Amino acid sequence: MKIATFNINGIKARAEALPRWLDDAQPDVVLLQEIKSIDENFPSELFEERGYNVETHGQKSFNGVAILSKLPLEDVTRGLPGDDEDEQARWIEATVIGKKALRICGLYLPNGNPVPGPKYEYKLSWMERLYDRARELLASEEPALMAGDYNIIPQAEDAKRPDAWREDALFRPESRAAFRKILNLGFTEAFRAVTQSPEHYSFWDYQAGAWNRNDGIRIDHFLLTPQAADLMRDCRIDAEIRGHEKPSDHVPVWVDLDL
C-alpha cells in the first residue's frame, strides 16, 4: 500500500497539477494539508473519477486536511481531541481497509511563528494533545500512522542552513523536544529509518531561488507505530513534482507498507 502526504498549499491553485501527479504516482492513499477550502467547495469529483474515496475537514481560506483513498475508509473522525474550542481544521483520521486494517491520521501542525507569542503557545499545546493521541494509538497495538506537515525540523541535517532557523518556531528547542517526546513513545520516523544522509528536503521557499540552490528543510513526516513499522518496505520524498506547473512549496512524501 503506497501512502503519500502532501501539503498542496491550496486546492484551487493545485486543481490541475494534483490530478496529474495522482495519475503518474498512483498512490493508494493520500493525506492532504492546506486544502484552504470548506468541505462543500472541495472538488471531490476530480478524485472520485480516479477511484478515490474522499473525506475532508475543511476551513475557509486556510488550513484544512483531507484523505483520498482507493480503499474503503471507516470510522472517519475530524479534529484533534483535547480542546473542544479549537476550530482550526488540522486533523483527520480514518481506518483504511486493505489486507489488514490501518489507522491513518493526517495532520497539519501549527507553524507557531512569531516566537514568542500566542501562536507559538498554541503550537506547543497542540503538540501536547498530539502526544496524548499518539499514546492512545500505541495502546491499541494495531498498525497506525500519523503523517503530514509537522512544521518541525527534527535535526540540523534536515535543513540546508540550520543556523538560519535557530530562532524559528520550526526549529526552536521546545518544538524539537515536543517532537522527540512523541517519537520516544515508540514511533518510527519512517524516512530516517530508510536513510540518515543529509540534504533531503520536503519544503523550499518560493523566494530567493531556494529550489535551484536546494536550500530546503524537511518538515513533512511519517510516524509509524511498531505494528506499522514492521510492514514498511520503503519511504521516499517525491521531489520531482517541484518541476511541474504551479508547484506547491512542499513536495509529497510517501511510504510503502506491506498491506
Side-chain angles (χ1 to χ4, degrees):
M1 183 187 296
K2 187 175 180 179
I3 305 168
T5 177
F6 192 4
N7 180 322
I8 58 172
N9 195 14
I11 186 59
K12 189 176 293 186
R14 237 57 65 196
E16 294 182 6
L18 180 59
R20 285 200 301 269
W21 172 73
L22 290 171
D23 292 342
D24 182 53
Q26 291 292 316
D28 299 298
V29 180
V30 185
L31 301 169
L32 299 177
Q33 302 90 48
E34 277 202 280
I35 62 174
K36 298 181 179 178
S37 168
I38 60 174
D39 296 337
E40 293 80 2
N41 291 345
F42 188 81
S44 297
E45 65 281 356
L46 284 177
F47 312 107
E48 291 169 345
E49 66 188 18
R50 289 171 165 79
Y52 287 98
N53 300 295
V54 179
E55 297 287 347
T56 61
H57 180 34
Q59 186 173 348
K60 186 177 181 179
S61 301
F62 64 104
N63 296 336
V65 288
I67 302 174
L68 314 178
S69 176
K70 289 186 175 180
L71 298 162
L73 293 172
E74 296 183 356
D75 189 22
V76 180
T77 60
R78 295 165 175 83
L80 182 64
D83 184 355
D84 293 338
E85 296 183 0
D86 186 2
E87 297 180 351
Q88 296 195 28
R90 295 182 175 276
W91 180 271
I92 188 169
E93 60 178 275
T95 298
V96 179
I97 309 299
K99 290 188 293 184
K100 296 180 180 179
L102 173 70
R103 191 66 178 170
I104 56 170
C105 306
L107 64 92
Y108 176 44
L109 204 148
N111 177 286
N113 284 304
V115 180
K119 290 185 177 181
Y120 193 54
E121 293 170 6
Y122 174 65
K123 180 188 186 93
L124 295 179
S125 66
W126 204 94
M127 294 186 77
E128 281 293 327
R129 291 159 54 201
L130 179 61
Y131 175 84
D132 291 339
R133 182 64 187 125
R135 289 180 62 186
E136 294 174 350
L137 291 170
L138 285 172
S140 74
E141 297 186 351
E142 298 292 339
L145 60 83
M146 303 188 302
D149 178 359
Y150 278 76
N151 272 314
I152 296 288
I153 305 169
Q155 53 198 44
E157 291 82 357
D158 296 313
K160 181 74 169 186
R161 296 179 298 117
D163 287 343
W165 296 89
R166 295 293 178 191
E167 297 305 317
D168 193 282
L170 279 64
F171 198 51
R172 289 276 303 176
E174 301 91 339
S175 305
R176 296 162 64 198
F179 184 76
R180 287 195 303 271
K181 181 180 176 183
I182 295 168
L183 271 180
N184 290 342
L185 287 170
F187 283 86
T188 294
E189 206 260 90
F191 188 78
R192 284 304 179 204
V194 172
T195 179
Q196 291 295 317
S197 62
E199 298 199 1
H200 294 283
Y201 310 125
S202 62
F203 171 92
W204 298 261
D205 194 281
Y206 286 127
Q207 307 299 319
W211 165 250
N212 292 330
R213 295 183 288 108
N214 198 27
D215 184 4
I217 53 177
R218 193 176 68 89
I219 56 176
D220 302 88
H221 312 301
F222 276 89
L223 302 191
L224 312 179
T225 65
Q227 294 78 13
D230 286 344
L231 302 171
M232 188 176 72
R233 292 184 289 215
D234 202 0
C235 181
R236 289 286 184 269
I237 297 174
D238 190 2
E240 301 84 52
I241 192 176
R242 187 59 188 255
H244 290 186
E245 181 184 1
K246 288 190 176 181
S248 172
D249 44 8
H250 293 250
V251 296
V253 181
W254 57 266
V255 295
D256 184 13
L257 301 182
D258 185 16
L259 278 171

